[in-house]
């Protein structure tokens, strides 16, 4: 979902599109628990806890990645997405700063 959108379904997927080809091995999520680990994070409490993702993701071109939360998201909740500096492009360049959605998206 885009930043500052509402009425997002609780069974949504998370899709990220980068401006260049990324090193697929650096695009990671936490599938074990609610700690905020991995280079892609989803949280409703400013990243004190994070949503567990299923242990699968998809990409066809290493620029767009689709992630699947393990369970449905909570109703009427605002979530933010964070991409950390541990992601790298295919030339092994990292981002300078973590990128966090400003207002997030809200489920219905």
């Amino acid at each position: 979902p885009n930043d500052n959108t509402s009425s997002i379904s609780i069974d949504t997927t998370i899709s990220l599109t980068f401006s260049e080809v990324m090193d697929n091995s650096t695009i990671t999520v936490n599938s074990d628990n609610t700690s905020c680990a991995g280079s892609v994070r989803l949280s409703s409490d400013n990243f004190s806890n994070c949503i567990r993702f299923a242990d699968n993701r998809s990409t066809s071109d290493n620029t767009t990645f689709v992630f699947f939360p393990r369970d449905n998201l909570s109703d009427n909740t605002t979530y933010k997405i964070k991409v950390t500096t541990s992601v790298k492009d295919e030339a092994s360049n990292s981002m300078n700063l973590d990128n966090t959605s400003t207002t997030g998206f809200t489920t219905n």
Side-chain angles (χ1 to χ4, degrees):
N2 291 323
D3 203 25
N4 200 31
T5 57
S6 58
S7 298
I8 302 299
S9 173
I10 60 172
D11 65 351
T12 190
T13 59
I14 305 301
S15 177
L16 297 176
T17 301
F18 295 90
S19 61
E20 58 188 294
V21 174
M22 301 303 288
D23 176 349
N24 192 10
S25 69
T26 67
I27 310 297
T28 61
V29 295
N30 182 11
S31 60
D32 294 331
N33 52 43
T34 60
S35 68
C36 291
S39 60
V40 177
R41 303 171 184 180
L42 178 66
S43 177
S44 63
D45 64 4
N46 286 320
F47 304 97
S48 294
N49 295 286
C50 285
I51 302 302
R52 285 175 44 172
F53 284 97
D55 197 18
N56 63 341
R57 62 178 162 72
S58 65
T59 183
S60 60
D61 58 5
N62 285 346
T63 58
T64 300
F65 295 82
V66 179
F67 306 92
F68 305 87
R70 182 176 294 269
D71 298 309
N72 285 343
L73 302 178
S74 297
D75 281 331
N76 299 313
T77 303
T78 299
Y79 291 90
K80 290 185 178 182
I81 301 168
K82 179 186 282 189
V83 180
T84 70
T85 58
S86 60
V87 301
K88 295 181 179 181
D89 65 15
E90 66 180 346
S92 293
N93 298 311
S94 298
M95 294 189 313
N96 292 333
L97 300 169
D98 289 348
N99 185 326
T100 303
S101 51
T102 304
T103 55
F105 65 91
T106 303
T107 56
N108 64 350

